[in-house]
Structures are given as C-alpha cells and as structure tokens.
Amino acid sequence: MKNILSIFFLLVIASACAEKEFTTVEEAPSKEVQLSSWNDGEARSKIEDFIRSTASEGSSNFVPEKDRVAVFDNDGTLWGEQPMYYQLLYAVDFIKKNAADHPEWSSSEAIQAVLNDDLSGALAGGHQAIFELVMVSHAGMSEDEFAQSVKTWLETTRHPDTGKAYNEMIYQPMLELLEFLRANGYKTFIVSGGGIDFIRVWAEEAYDIPPYQVVGSSLKAKYEEKDGEKQVIKIPELNFIDDKEGKPVAIHQHLGIRPTIAVGNSDGDYQMLEYTTNSTGPRLGILIHHTDSEREYAYDSLSAIGNLKMGLNNGPGLGWVIVDMAEDWKSIYPD
C-alpha cells in the first residue's frame, strides 16, 4: 500500500511539474523591441549598432548600465513645433481666454498684439516678448492649477493643420527609439528649452518618461498659503533658460552625469550634443532633420522655429548621425 501511495504522489508531482513547464513555454518571452517605423539605412544601422554595442558585455563600446543615459530635446525632436512652439500656442490661448480679468495686461505691446491676432507683431520683440507671454500664462497659479490648465488645453485644442490634439503630435519613430533604449538598459531624460512644468504634465503618458526625468526652462516659485492650503506658487520671474549653453549646465545640475547619447533637432541643441560627444568613451549625437514637407514640415537654416544650420554643417564631421525625416522614417505620428 505504501508503495502504491508513493507512486501516486510521484505521479502528482510529475504532473504538476509538467504543467508548470508547459505554462512556462506558453508564456513566451516578449519580442525584441525594434525600430519598425524606421526605414533600413545608414542612420538606423548606426543608431541600433551603437546602442546594442554599448549594452553588450565584452564589447569594446560597453558602457555599464548605471552610466547609460540618453537625453532628448522635446520641441521638434519628440513632438512637433510648427507652425509655432506648442507651449507658446497654449500661452496665446490662455491670454485670449483670461484677458478680461487682467486689465494690467493693456500696457503690454506683446499681449495687445496677441489679442489683435497679430502673432507676428507679438513676437517682434524676440525672446523677451516670448518670455513675457509665457510668464503671464503661467504665473500666479499653484502647481496643481497650472497642471489642470494644461490638461484642459490639451483635451480641447487641436493642431491647425492635422486636427490632432497636441499631445498626439508626437513622433512614432522616436517613441520606438525611447523604448529601444530602455530595453537596452538606458535611462531616458528630456532636456528641453520648453517649460519644465508644462512638459511634466503630459510627458509620462506620451513618452513613458516620469516627471523627475524632465529638465526644462523654469519660472521662479514660492511656497505660501493659497485658498487655505500651503502650496508652491509660480511667480512671473525667470529662473532658468534651458537652451543652447544652458543645456549642458542643466544636465550637470539635474543629472550629475555626462550622457552617452544626446538627441536634438536644432542649433539650440548644439551645445548639448557637443557636451555629450566631446568626451572619452563611446558617445553618440543624433540630429533630426525636418525634410518632409508632405507628412510634416520641411525646415532648417531659414526657419525662425527650430533653426538648424551649425549642426548640419558641423555634425557629420563630429560623428553625429543626421536623421533625414523624409528618407529615414516610414511614419511620422502614431496611428
């Protein structure tokens, strides 16, 4: 009887192990992340080969996982920026909606131009005018109020050419690149000239990049009581401009490590790519060149938005990969 019971228990154990093994086989490992929206070509090959080699132990390009950091510009790199920076369009809409409650805005030439639908006149003052428009549309709100204002704008406003919500104007090939990097042990950061608080509202949902991995331009803020609660309130004073020479400084201050990979699209990103690649060890700079006038926009050295001249001229000699949007991307936006 004892032998019969032993045989019975052995059969039960064997059956359970077989079932577990069968279940494991059925749960096939996830497929390798691929750049399926990229056309085969030199740009894709260089990017894929570099990332794989830096993540492969034994490779001469191997980079320890703790040091694998990739930084991305946002406007024109991860999402669109034409016909105007999207954050500036948010500011314009905010001003038009709230002007009646702010008679003090009547002294601002830039704001009055916006209210008269003269955007060119509003921007005639250059960066100072842009900063003024952005500041009045951000300041005075708590962090939660501002986040809700941006969310509402994204839900209710559409791009004038595509009819898409602005947070749908993100680039599918770049989403795949972000995923490919993370699958190979990279940490991905946004380092943008756009507002840090503006991007943090929606970046995690759009790019799977959490708020604490977003670096950008910022206003000053203060901690005070508002509506019976202690809150962080944005005030109309510039704190930091994260553009050009500011980007390496921001990377140093926020990340504390020189990136392995830097990706941008304009000369505003030049110093970030320069800082990344002008160092020992394997480094890669990537520039997105907007060449697709049919599916997106074609612009570079003559554009007031996303101007790209120095990067096109010097980038190839520095070993940077120039991605030709029309030639290298099968698709632009997510389906």
Side-chain angles (χ1 to χ4, degrees), residues 49-64 68 282:
D49 291 347
F50 181 87
I51 294 170
R52 287 196 177 106
S53 68
T54 54
S56 299
E57 289 195 46
S59 165
S60 59
N61 276 350
F62 178 70
V63 175
R68 286 179 225 153

Side-chain angles (χ1 to χ4, degrees), residues 73-75 87 191-199 215-218 242:
D73 171 56
N74 184 55
D75 296 311
Q87 186 174 358
V191 180
S192 173
I196 187 171
D197 293 325
F198 181 85
I199 299 170
V215 179
S217 299
S218 59
D242 187 32

Side-chain angles (χ1 to χ4, degrees), residues 4 68 76 80 86 98-99 115 122 194 205 209-210 214 229 247 263 265 268-269 274 282 304 329:
I4 294 175
R68 286 179 225 153
Y86 297 167
N98 294 277
L115 297 176
E205 182 178 351
I209 295 178
V214 175
E229 296 182 8
K247 289 198 172 189
V263 189
N265 78 293
D269 306 312
E274 182 181 57
W329 286 2

Side-chain angles (χ1 to χ4, degrees), residues 142-177:
S142 69
E143 52 190 325
D144 292 337
E145 289 172 331
F146 179 73
Q148 186 56 55
S149 176
V150 174
K151 288 178 182 177
T152 300
W153 181 76
L154 290 172
E155 291 168 357
T156 58
T157 312
R158 295 294 180 266
H159 189 276
D161 295 331
T162 66
K164 293 177 178 287
Y166 285 98
N167 55 344
E168 294 175 345
M169 298 285 291
I170 54 181
Y171 299 138
Q172 178 64 27
M174 299 306 286
L175 296 180
E176 293 170 1
L177 179 55

Side-chain angles (χ1 to χ4, degrees), residues 5-240:
L5 287 174
S6 297
I7 293 171
F8 173 76
F9 284 123
L10 285 172
L11 288 172
V12 170
I13 293 170
S15 174
C17 291
E19 181 179 356
K20 182 177 181 181
E21 183 177 354
F22 176 77
T23 302
T24 303
V25 171
E26 288 295 305
E27 295 174 356
S30 58
K31 63 180 181 180
E32 181 185 0
V33 176
Q34 296 182 349
L35 303 183
S36 56
S37 292
W38 293 65
N39 289 316
D40 292 333
E42 184 178 5
R44 175 179 176 175
S45 295
K46 283 185 175 180
I47 293 169
E48 286 181 326
D49 291 347
F50 181 87
I51 294 170
R52 287 196 177 106
S53 68
T54 54
S56 299
E57 289 195 46
S59 165
S60 59
N61 276 350
F62 178 70
V63 175
E65 186 167 348
K66 66 181 180 64
D67 296 327
R68 286 179 225 153
V69 169
V71 293
F72 288 76
D73 171 56
N74 184 55
D75 296 311
T77 301
L78 294 178
W79 76 344
E81 60 182 359
Q82 297 286 353
M84 188 63 63
Y85 296 121
Y86 297 167
Q87 186 174 358
L88 184 56
L89 292 174
Y90 160 78
V92 168
D93 288 346
F94 181 92
I95 289 169
K96 288 183 175 181
K97 182 179 178 181
N98 294 277
D101 298 326
H102 293 274
E104 71 276 12
W105 290 354
S106 61
S107 60
S108 167
E109 293 182 4
I111 293 177
Q112 292 309 303
V114 165
L115 297 176
N116 291 325
D117 293 322
D118 179 15
L119 194 54
S120 297
L123 302 181
H127 284 100
Q128 188 58 43
I130 294 175
F131 295 149
E132 182 180 2
L133 297 177
V134 170
M135 281 192 291
V136 298
S137 65
H138 291 50
M141 286 187 275
S142 69
E143 52 190 325
D144 292 337
E145 289 172 331
F146 179 73
Q148 186 56 55
S149 176
V150 174
K151 288 178 182 177
T152 300
W153 181 76
L154 290 172
E155 291 168 357
T156 58
T157 312
R158 295 294 180 266
H159 189 276
D161 295 331
T162 66
K164 293 177 178 287
Y166 285 98
N167 55 344
E168 294 175 345
M169 298 285 291
I170 54 181
Y171 299 138
Q172 178 64 27
M174 299 306 286
L175 296 180
E176 293 170 1
L177 179 55
L178 288 168
E179 188 178 2
F180 185 73
L181 282 161
R182 291 190 285 259
N184 283 276
Y186 275 83
K187 293 172 283 294
T188 54
F189 292 80
I190 293 174
V191 180
S192 173
I196 187 171
D197 293 325
F198 181 85
I199 299 170
R200 282 175 170 173
V201 173
W202 51 272
E204 187 163 23
E205 182 178 351
Y207 309 131
D208 202 20
I209 295 178
Y212 54 83
Q213 288 177 208
V214 175
V215 179
S217 299
S218 59
L219 297 182
K220 292 183 179 180
K222 58 184 178 180
Y223 182 61
E224 65 179 17
E225 184 172 315
K226 183 178 181 181
D227 300 327
E229 296 182 8
K230 292 289 187 178
Q231 303 181 52
V232 174
I233 308 298
K234 298 159 71 69
I235 59 177
E237 294 181 32
L238 281 172
N239 180 52
F240 185 79

Side-chain angles (χ1 to χ4, degrees), residues 242-255:
D242 187 32
D243 195 36
K244 298 183 178 178
E245 293 85 357
K247 289 198 172 189
V249 174
I251 291 170
H252 166 72
Q253 292 181 336
H254 288 264
L255 277 62

